[in-house]
Amino acid sequence: MLRVDRILFPTDGSECAGQAHRHAQHLAAHFDAALHVISVEEHDVDPDEVIEVEEASLQARVHGVEPGGGALPAARLRERAVTHPTAAGGILNYVVQYDVDLVVMGTHGRRGLRRLVLGSVAEEAVRKAPCPVLTVGRGAVAPQDMEGGTLLVPVDFSEHRFRLMAHAREIAPVYGMDLTLLHVVDATGLPNAYGAHGSPPDPGVLSDRAEEVLDVEAESLRTKGIEVTLDVRGGHPAAEVLDVAEERGAAFIAIATHGRTGLERMLMGSVAEKVLRRAPCPVCAVKSFGRSLVDGHDSAGA
C-alpha cells in the first residue's frame, strides 16, 4: 500500500511548474494528502534554517498556481514562501523540516553549457532528497489523460529493484496504467542475474536470461491485476529508456536512483538524471536510500 501524507510542490511560476501542479493536485486528492506549495526566495541566510515569509497567498508573488489549490480542500493546502541561499537547498531543507513524503516539481530540461554552469534544481532534488521525487516537464499530459497509458519501469537487477517495483505496482493504478518492465543489457557491467562468469556470453544469451528473470519477477505485479509487458534491449541504459518511452508513448516513468555524488557521478553520469532531463513524460525517481512510500518493499518480489 502506498502511503502519502505530505506532498511538496515547489513553484517558480513557470510553464513546467503549472504542469507539475496538476499532478501534485491529482496525487494529493487521491491520497487525501496535505499539499505544501512553496516558492523559494534566494537570500544569504542560515542554510540550516527554513525561514517562512508570511503571505496571504503565493499569488501575490508567483503565477502559475491556481488560487486556493484548485479542487483541493483548503484544509489540506499549505502555501508558503521561504528563504534560503539556494532554491534547491530551500526545497531540501523544507522536505526534512516538514517530513515530506513526495516532492512533485517541474523541470526545465536544460542542456549544454547553461545546465553545466547553473546546474538543475530538479536534478539536485532528485539526487539528495530523502524521499521520492516526481519531475514533470513541458511535454507531460494532464493526469486525467494518462488512463490506459504505459508506466515504463527500467530494471537494472540491482538489490534496489524490489523497492522500485513495489512503488511501480502502487503507482500504476493511481493513473490507470499498464506496466512495461525494461532491462537494458549493458556490456560494461554484468549483474549476477545474467548467470555470466568469466568471459561474457553472446548478447543474445544475455538478453534471453534477462527476460527469464524479468518474467519471474513480473508475476508479483500480475497477481495484483496489473497488465505487464517485458522489453529487453542492448545498449546504453539512458538512451534506451528514452527510446522505449518514445516508441511506446509512455505516460509515466518510474526509475531508481542510487544517490551517487562527487567524482563517481561526474565520471559515470546518472541514468536517472539523463532520463528526467529529456523524458517526454513525468518521471518518478525512487531512492535506493531514505523514505519508502510502500510497506514491505525490501522483500523479494514485493
mmCIF file of all heavy atoms in Angstrom, residues 48 67 181 189 209 267:
data_model
loop_
_atom_site.group_PDB
_atom_site.id
_atom_site.type_symbol
_atom_site.label_atom_id
_atom_site.label_comp_id
_atom_site.label_asym_id
_atom_site.label_seq_id
_atom_site.Cartn_x
_atom_site.Cartn_y
_atom_site.Cartn_z
ATOM 1 N N ASP A 48 20.879 26.240 7.349
ATOM 2 C CA ASP A 48 20.276 25.144 8.111
ATOM 3 C C ASP A 48 18.858 25.471 8.573
ATOM 4 O O ASP A 48 18.226 24.684 9.266
ATOM 5 C CB ASP A 48 21.135 24.817 9.332
ATOM 6 C CG ASP A 48 22.491 24.241 8.923
ATOM 7 O OD1 ASP A 48 22.526 23.513 7.918
ATOM 8 O OD2 ASP A 48 23.484 24.541 9.598
ATOM 9 N N PRO A 67 -5.361 29.854 -7.416
ATOM 10 C CA PRO A 67 -5.657 30.285 -6.051
ATOM 11 C C PRO A 67 -6.372 29.191 -5.273
ATOM 12 O O PRO A 67 -7.274 28.535 -5.779
ATOM 13 C CB PRO A 67 -6.567 31.511 -6.268
ATOM 14 C CG PRO A 67 -6.255 31.974 -7.651
ATOM 15 C CD PRO A 67 -5.911 30.747 -8.424
ATOM 16 N N LEU A 181 8.101 -3.498 -18.035
ATOM 17 C CA LEU A 181 9.403 -3.657 -17.402
ATOM 18 C C LEU A 181 10.468 -3.696 -18.493
ATOM 19 O O LEU A 181 10.385 -4.501 -19.421
ATOM 20 C CB LEU A 181 9.466 -4.953 -16.600
ATOM 21 C CG LEU A 181 8.564 -5.068 -15.370
ATOM 22 C CD1 LEU A 181 8.782 -6.412 -14.685
ATOM 23 C CD2 LEU A 181 8.817 -3.932 -14.391
ATOM 24 N N GLY A 189 28.822 -3.632 -17.520
ATOM 25 C CA GLY A 189 28.618 -4.138 -16.162
ATOM 26 C C GLY A 189 27.588 -5.238 -16.173
ATOM 27 O O GLY A 189 26.434 -5.018 -16.478
ATOM 28 N N ARG A 209 18.420 -14.593 -20.916
ATOM 29 C CA ARG A 209 18.498 -14.799 -19.473
ATOM 30 C C ARG A 209 17.821 -13.659 -18.718
ATOM 31 O O ARG A 209 17.081 -13.882 -17.749
ATOM 32 C CB ARG A 209 19.964 -14.920 -19.049
ATOM 33 C CG ARG A 209 20.207 -15.001 -17.552
ATOM 34 C CD ARG A 209 19.476 -16.152 -16.918
ATOM 35 N NE ARG A 209 19.715 -16.210 -15.490
ATOM 36 C CZ ARG A 209 18.912 -16.788 -14.610
ATOM 37 N NH1 ARG A 209 17.792 -17.373 -15.019
ATOM 38 N NH2 ARG A 209 19.206 -16.805 -13.325
ATOM 39 N N LEU A 267 31.877 11.167 -13.444
ATOM 40 C CA LEU A 267 32.526 10.303 -14.426
ATOM 41 C C LEU A 267 31.539 9.331 -15.054
ATOM 42 O O LEU A 267 31.555 9.092 -16.251
ATOM 43 C CB LEU A 267 33.666 9.537 -13.747
ATOM 44 C CG LEU A 267 34.857 10.372 -13.293
ATOM 45 C CD1 LEU A 267 35.867 9.487 -12.576
ATOM 46 C CD2 LEU A 267 35.514 11.085 -14.469
#
